[in-house]
């Protein structure tokens, strides 16, 4: 177990130099914030507006389950006014570092602030919860409210701005939820089965009454064994499930193994599209926002499983939706 002395020794002069460059936020200046995932960074950006400057550590295609901090990450976090992370064991490799960093500056795990009765449990890890709460826009709204309250604590003078920005974004999330519920309901009931590379969509399944199957568990650090893949192949063949989805931040190796296994038994599986699971799209793109990420997923799933959704999604802004 890493203690504070070990941590400081590990980062050496890099950490000490960064600490020396960490002045208090100037009066009237912008909060300098580091966030781990793109989803957390988006929530802080939406609420913080011009009063906050946000840097996201993990970009498109980056898997937060196995991510480890770099020297430049350490510099950024130790010189920031505050660090926001997701929590619920999503950034498992960073947890000890965040606990140590919390001794010297505000470090907030936003998803940890959600009511425990709103969270799904984990069959893999006793006593832990499924961290993928962003897959349900209604639940994500609670994270946005937690971001608003946390920013207000850090910058009380910005309270009115944070409240107004949060209210605007919460309305957008409500519209996203209405769109998602509407188009996903057009998929025939027998086709409402979502098969993905790992178990990131359980909150989606609960929210929209879809059956969800992941080849790997809720963490991509867990390996899918041969017996598990063979069992899932038999299930897909027996139930004549024809579509499966890849994920932008997870290798498609296991998905291809399922396709090949089903083909060997005379059953054709097709890839219904690529979904954003643990990371968003490219910065600056519509899919690089939380709204665009979920719009893409919902629209892709609906169209692939036989439902009706606009080709370009809720706002007509989606790129290449398969």
């Amino acid at each position: 177990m890493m203690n504070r002395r070990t941590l400081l020794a590990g980062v050496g002069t890099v950490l000490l130099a960064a600490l020396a460059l960490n002045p208090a936020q100037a009066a009237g200046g912008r909060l300098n914030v580091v966030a781990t995932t793109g989803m957390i960074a988006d929530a802080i950006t939406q609420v913080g507006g011009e009063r906050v400057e946000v840097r996201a550590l993990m970009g498109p295609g980056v898997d937060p389950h196995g991510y480890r901090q770099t020297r430049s990450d350490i510099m950024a976090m130790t010189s920031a006014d505050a660090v926001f992370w997701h929590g619920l064991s999503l950034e498992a490799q960073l947890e000890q570092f965040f606990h140590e960093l919390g001794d010297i500056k505000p470090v907030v795990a936003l998803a940890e602030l959600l009511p425990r009765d709103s969270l799904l449990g984990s069959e893999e890890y006793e006593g832990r919860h499924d961290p993928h709460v962003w897959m349900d826009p209604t639940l994500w709204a609670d994270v946005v409210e937690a971001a608003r309250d946390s920013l207000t604590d850090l910058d009380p003078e910005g309270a009115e701005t944070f409240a107004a920005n949060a209210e605007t974004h919460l309305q957008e999330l409500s519209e996203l939820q209405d769109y998602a519920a509407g188009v996903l309901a057009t998929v025939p009931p027998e086709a409402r089965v979502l098969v993905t590379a790992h178990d990131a969509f359980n909150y989606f399944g609960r929210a929209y009454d879809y059956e969800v199957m992941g080849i790997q568990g809720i963490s991509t650090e867990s390996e899918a064994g041969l017996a598990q893949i063979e069992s899932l192949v038999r299930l897909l063949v027996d139930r004549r499930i024809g579509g499966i989805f890849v994920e932008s931040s997870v290798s498609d190796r296991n998905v291809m193994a399922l396709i090949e296994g089903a083909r060997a038994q005379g059953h054709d599986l097709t890839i219904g599209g690529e979904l954003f699971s643990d990371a968003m799209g490219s910065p600056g793109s519509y899919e690089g926002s939380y709204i665009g990420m979920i719009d893409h997923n919902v629209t892709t799933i609906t169209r692939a499983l036989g439902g009706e959704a606009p080709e370009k999604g809720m706002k007509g802004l989606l790129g290449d939706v398969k």
Side-chain angles (χ1 to χ4, degrees), residues 277-300:
S277 55
D278 291 343
M280 304 193 303
S282 300
S285 70
Y286 177 55
E287 292 84 350
S289 68
Y290 174 78
I291 296 288
M293 170 194 191
I294 300 301
D295 186 2
H296 169 92
N297 285 352
V298 165
T299 301
T300 299

Side-chain angles (χ1 to χ4, degrees), residues 172 175-176 179 286 289 291-292 295 299 310 312-318:
E172 293 175 333
E175 293 169 1
L176 176 64
Y179 170 76
Y286 177 55
S289 68
I291 296 288
D295 186 2
T299 301
K312 296 296 183 179
M314 177 179 70
K315 295 186 174 184
L317 297 175
L318 290 180

Side-chain angles (χ1 to χ4, degrees), residues 37-47 140 169 280 288-291:
T37 68
M39 293 78 75
I40 291 293
D42 185 79
I44 297 297
T45 299
Q46 294 295 333
V47 175
W140 191 248
H169 191 46
M280 304 193 303
S289 68
Y290 174 78
I291 296 288

Side-chain angles (χ1 to χ4, degrees), residues 14-26 30-36 44 51-57 71-85 97-98 101-108 151 154:
V14 176
L15 178 57
L16 295 176
L19 287 172
L21 295 172
N22 185 24
Q25 181 195 9
R30 302 173 73 189
L31 279 171
N32 174 20
V33 169
V34 172
T36 52
I44 297 297
R51 296 189 69 89
V52 179
E53 182 176 349
V54 184
R55 170 180 170 173
L57 294 184
R71 292 168 68 90
S72 62
D73 291 341
I74 293 169
M75 289 285 292
M77 287 187 282
T78 53
S79 62
D81 293 310
V83 174
F84 287 86
W85 56 303
F97 177 80
F98 287 140
L101 188 62
D103 289 340
I104 59 174
K105 69 171 62 262
V107 177
V108 183
L151 287 174
L154 289 167

Side-chain angles (χ1 to χ4, degrees), residues 36-37 57-67 248-250 278-280:
T36 52
T37 68
L57 294 184
M58 305 176 197
V62 175
D63 177 7
H65 295 282
Y67 187 86
S248 65
S249 56
V250 182
D278 291 343
M280 304 193 303

Side-chain angles (χ1 to χ4, degrees), residues 39-193:
M39 293 78 75
I40 291 293
D42 185 79
I44 297 297
T45 299
Q46 294 295 333
V47 175
E50 294 185 355
R51 296 189 69 89
V52 179
E53 182 176 349
V54 184
R55 170 180 170 173
L57 294 184
M58 305 176 197
V62 175
D63 177 7
H65 295 282
Y67 187 86
R68 295 179 183 275
Q69 70 270 22
T70 66
R71 292 168 68 90
S72 62
D73 291 341
I74 293 169
M75 289 285 292
M77 287 187 282
T78 53
S79 62
D81 293 310
V83 174
F84 287 86
W85 56 303
H86 184 86
L88 300 178
S89 300
L90 179 69
E91 307 100 331
Q93 307 304 320
L94 301 176
E95 284 190 4
Q96 185 63 30
F97 177 80
F98 287 140
H99 291 315
E100 298 288 346
L101 188 62
D103 289 340
I104 59 174
K105 69 171 62 262
V107 177
V108 183
L110 287 178
E112 297 280 357
L113 302 177
L114 296 174
R116 286 303 185 260
D117 60 3
S118 69
L119 301 176
L120 294 172
S122 167
E123 293 183 0
E124 299 171 76
Y125 306 104
E126 185 177 354
R128 296 188 185 180
H129 296 91
D130 185 334
H132 303 92
V133 297
W134 59 88
M135 291 301 179
D136 178 353
T138 301
L139 196 53
W140 191 248
D142 292 338
V143 172
V144 170
E145 291 180 346
R148 175 200 62 203
D149 295 343
S150 296
L151 287 174
T152 300
D153 289 340
L154 289 167
D155 178 14
E157 292 182 2
E160 290 187 7
T161 297
F162 301 146
N165 289 347
E167 187 59 34
T168 297
H169 191 46
L170 290 170
Q171 180 58 41
E172 293 175 333
L173 294 180
S174 178
E175 293 169 1
L176 176 64
Q177 168 63 13
D178 289 344
Y179 170 76
V183 298
L184 288 165
T186 68
V187 174
E190 66 277 8
R192 296 176 190 173
V193 181

